[in-house]
Amino acid sequence: HQRMWDNRQTQRVYDAFVDIWDRTDLWVTIDRANLNPPRQGDVPAEGFIHWDVNTAQRPLPIGVQGVLSLAPQDAETGGFQAVPWLFQHFDDWVADQPDDRDPLMPDATGLVRENIEMAPGDLLIFNSLLAHGVRPNTSKDRVRLAQYISMQPAEPENAAERAERIRLWKEIEPPNRPDFPGDPRGWEKAHQTPADLTPLGRRLLGLDDW
């Protein structure tokens, strides 16, 4: 959607990731927004904790992720939560885990979760090795709405990846991943045109070189 690309190509968002990576040639992730309505039925009170990277990989992957708040996230609406202790003590913790542990879903039993309240426009950037999740929305009639935005060093030499990124933007399709099913109605593809990109946005996509 145009508004999602407007957020991705915002100068201040880009500048934040430039500061983190200490380089200017970045590509933005083509990620989604997350909407959490008030929970209904039997939902775990604490929500689930996970990693989006494989923590069994050696050396451990290096990366950052970002969450842009689009609506107030507080104690009622739920939102970002993390387990800082697990990040700080990962080597000691993993040494005591079974060989067949889930590298994407840690056993967070007994570990303290920290909830982060965010105002609209707040951008939270965190290390990908920080176990995190979304706590349930316990409000009566409010939603938690956020957009996932991150950036990493560009890979212009990866022609296949570059072509696929451009295709997703041009054909208005979600990434081909099981956790990115997209809208089954195909509404975006039927009703929208490719988002307008600024000169910065064209570079962040890979359409233009840095």
Side-chain angles (χ1 to χ4, degrees):
H1 193 279
Q2 180 66 54
R3 296 202 179 201
M4 295 183 74
W5 272 103
D6 288 345
N7 291 335
R8 292 175 184 137
Q9 58 192 356
T10 296
Q11 186 70 41
R12 287 188 67 190
V13 172
Y14 166 70
D15 289 343
F17 286 100
V18 167
D19 287 344
I20 289 172
W21 287 107
D22 195 26
R23 57 191 293 174
T24 58
D25 55 331
L26 303 176
W27 278 355
V28 68
T29 54
I30 301 178
D31 213 325
R32 55 188 167 180
N34 176 268
L35 184 146
N36 290 100
R39 70 176 187 175
Q40 298 180 8
D42 186 15
V43 179
E46 292 186 317
F48 71 98
I49 295 294
H50 69 285
W51 292 288
D52 293 302
V53 296
N54 184 352
T55 60
Q57 179 181 330
R58 292 295 182 273
L60 286 168
I62 297 174
V64 293
Q65 296 170 241
V67 180
L68 176 66
S69 179
L70 304 179
Q73 299 182 39
D74 52 37
E76 281 193 346
T77 61
F80 187 87
Q81 62 176 348
V83 184
W85 184 93
L86 187 53
F87 176 77
Q88 297 161 353
H89 303 277
F90 178 81
D91 290 339
D92 293 334
W93 172 85
V94 78
D96 292 332
Q97 298 301 302
D99 293 338
D100 62 349
R101 74 177 180 90
D102 189 333
L104 299 177
M105 297 276 288
D107 180 0
T109 304
L111 300 181
V112 176
R113 305 174 187 220
E114 183 170 340
N115 298 327
I116 306 298
E117 295 193 0
M118 299 175 66
D122 284 349
L123 175 64
L124 173 67
I125 302 174
F126 59 98
N127 191 304
S128 293
L129 295 175
L130 176 67
H132 62 281
V134 178
R135 63 186 186 275
N137 182 345
T138 60
S139 70
K140 292 183 178 180
D141 57 3
R142 301 164 60 205
V143 299
R144 181 258 184 169
L145 183 62
Q147 181 178 347
Y148 301 130
I149 299 179
S150 186
M151 299 183 190
Q152 68 279 321
E155 300 180 52
E157 70 284 355
N158 189 339
E161 175 67 15
R162 184 173 187 169
E164 176 63 4
R165 290 170 56 82
I166 294 172
R167 186 191 71 80
L168 295 177
W169 161 76
K170 189 174 184 179
E171 299 182 11
I172 316 176
E173 292 188 1
N176 184 22
R177 286 170 43 187
D179 53 343
F180 281 80
D183 184 350
R185 304 169 300 172
W187 189 92
E188 290 180 320
K189 198 174 182 69
H191 293 83
Q192 295 178 194
T193 57
D196 293 329
L197 302 178
T198 64
L200 173 60
R202 292 175 63 91
R203 292 187 175 93
L204 288 172
L205 174 63
L207 199 60
D208 292 342
D209 293 328
W210 281 101

